[in-house]
Amino acid sequence: MNMLDQKIIDRLRTDLHSERRALLDLRAVAEASWEGLSPPAREAQEAATREHLRRGVAQLDRVGRERLQKIDAALLKISQDRYGLCESCGRPIAVKRLYAVPEARRCMRCASRKEVRMEGEDAEFDAQTSLDTGEPMTPPDHLGPERV
């Protein structure tokens, strides 16, 4: 059962719907801007600039889709009376956290634990692989293993 006051839930629902609408509007503007760049490039530099913009738009689109998914999940939880409960421990998520991050899935305690685990995994990955290629790191031949 959800322990949040109905006024708080209504305000957060409104905030989530507003943010969802803003993301969809931003996506529409980006798509319209991209369509304006559709004539063929005249020079290599122009083609490179367009490719750079295309990648940026694709990245924004990916981030926007992820954000929309989180917002939609939060709105679904509201409709199922599960909003504001931590997915990990089941305890209520602090109202202050929900105001700051309305789509929060975990309480601060559980979110911090997950973040620490992820940082540990990242450090382990960094120590074992090249960030550029994802390939295992090998010492340069000219340094020898004792200098790495």
Side-chain angles (χ1 to χ4, degrees):
M1 175 158 163
N2 197 326
M3 304 297 284
L4 291 174
D5 178 89
Q6 191 60 45
K7 286 182 183 179
I8 293 171
I9 290 174
D10 290 343
R11 177 179 169 199
L12 291 167
R13 180 187 297 118
T14 299
D15 291 349
L16 286 163
H17 278 293
S18 295
E19 187 168 351
R20 188 176 197 287
R21 179 80 257 153
L23 283 168
L24 291 172
D25 290 347
L26 180 63
R27 188 177 197 182
V29 167
E31 287 175 4
S33 297
W34 181 249
E35 288 174 10
L37 294 174
S38 61
R42 294 185 185 131
E43 297 180 14
Q45 184 177 4
E46 187 178 346
T49 299
R50 283 191 186 167
E51 178 60 18
H52 181 72
L53 287 172
R54 186 196 63 75
R55 288 182 183 174
V57 168
Q59 175 71 8
L60 283 174
D61 192 44
R62 184 186 61 77
V63 171
R65 279 193 316 270
E66 289 172 4
R67 188 93 173 107
L68 282 171
Q69 289 171 347
K70 290 177 182 179
I71 290 169
D72 288 345
L75 290 168
L76 178 64
K77 285 181 182 183
I78 289 173
S79 72
Q80 297 172 338
D81 199 33
R82 295 183 304 123
Y83 182 72
L85 299 175
C86 178
E87 288 182 2
S88 296
C89 71
R91 294 183 187 144
I93 299 171
V95 174
K96 286 183 180 181
R97 175 162 170 75
L98 292 172
Y99 279 135
V101 185
E103 72 281 0
R105 297 171 42 204
R106 293 180 182 80
C107 65
M108 281 301 297
R109 183 177 179 198
C110 292
S112 296
R113 286 181 181 169
K114 181 173 169 96
E115 201 170 284
V116 166
R117 274 196 314 273
M118 289 176 63
E119 286 176 3
E121 291 170 5
D122 287 346
E124 184 177 317
F125 177 81
D126 291 348
Q128 297 175 3
T129 62
S130 165
L131 293 178
D132 293 334
T133 64
E135 297 295 320
M137 290 180 59
T138 55
D141 292 333
H142 68 281
L143 291 180
E146 67 281 348
R147 300 184 102 189
V148 175

